[in-house]
Amino acid sequence: CFDRGGLLERAREADPDPQVFRALVAHHDQRQPKRAEAAAEAWRRAHPQDLEPLLYLIHAVEGRGAVRKALNFLAEAEAINRVHPEVRQSRFRLLLAGAERRIKEGKLTLALTDLDRLEQESRAAEGDHRAYLLALHWVAARKAADTLTAEALEKTLATSMGNPALYDLLLEALVRS
């Protein structure tokens, strides 16, 4: 009987190669997530231009709900490769999660900042994403008691969706959550 984790740790110390780090993270990923994160963090320090440990850390901390920390890792990943598909998808997903969380917490100014940053993303112009972002803006405006902005957003949303049933469903779901 052998200790695979112990052997991988020894291999990492002997030869800090990305393949060894990858195997170590994969070994700990399901059983000991904290050790997997520590291994990914060590990998990141040993190979600062390697994108893979940052992508792992982004998903790991996002899974725990630490969106701001995930955004910090994302900034590092973007400095390495801004056009990587997973990096681009992570940016939109994390900004959206941050905006939703801040609206729920009542931090409306910060939520609007996140929503404004989201508006600049290419995916924000797509149909469903556009409608959802407009609806989130509407929720933030209503919570901030900005009736003029809320009414304008409501009209824009209604005309852009074109389907009254879908419009009612979306707003009702957002208000309820």
Side-chain angles (χ1 to χ4, degrees):
C1 190
F2 64 93
D3 175 19
R4 184 168 191 257
L7 290 174
L8 286 169
E9 286 287 347
R10 288 177 53 198
R12 180 184 60 94
E13 290 169 11
D15 182 19
D17 185 75
Q19 284 184 311
V20 176
F21 281 109
R22 193 174 298 113
L24 188 58
V25 169
H27 173 74
H28 291 305
D29 188 40
Q30 295 301 316
R31 290 177 229 100
Q32 297 171 314
K34 288 289 187 188
R35 286 187 74 182
E37 281 185 48
E41 192 64 52
W43 179 4
R44 182 176 72 110
R45 284 191 302 275
H47 301 277
Q49 293 303 309
D50 197 344
L51 194 59
E52 198 171 336
L54 284 168
L55 293 174
Y56 178 83
L57 289 167
I58 288 168
H59 288 292
V61 299
E62 181 186 7
R64 289 196 325 257
V67 175
R68 293 292 135 202
K69 189 171 184 178
L71 281 168
N72 291 338
F73 285 133
L74 178 66
E76 290 181 43
E78 285 177 328
I80 295 169
N81 186 351
R82 185 176 201 83
V83 297
H84 189 278
E86 202 169 333
V87 171
R88 291 177 61 210
Q89 289 173 353
S90 294
R91 178 170 187 70
F92 190 84
R93 187 183 66 246
L94 289 170
L95 285 173
L96 187 60
E100 289 170 343
R101 176 184 240 165
R102 286 177 165 172
I103 288 171
K104 287 179 183 175
E105 293 172 349
K107 298 176 181 175
L108 303 176
T109 305
L110 295 173
L112 289 171
T113 302
D114 283 347
L115 289 170
D116 289 339
R117 288 170 62 191
L118 273 166
E119 289 285 332
Q120 297 169 6
E121 296 291 317
S122 61
R123 290 176 65 187
E126 298 171 6
D128 292 347
H129 293 113
R130 178 83 179 128
Y132 189 66
L133 290 176
L134 281 171
L136 283 178
H137 269 285
W138 174 78
V139 168
R142 283 204 46 202
K143 281 187 121 181
D146 185 356
T147 55
L148 293 176
T149 304
E151 287 173 5
L153 286 167
E154 204 169 332
K155 288 176 186 173
T156 304
L157 187 58
T159 56
S160 67
M161 290 187 77
N163 183 340
L166 184 59
Y167 166 79
D168 290 339
L169 193 69
L170 178 63
L171 292 186
E172 184 180 325
L174 280 173
V175 168
R176 200 178 299 142
S177 70

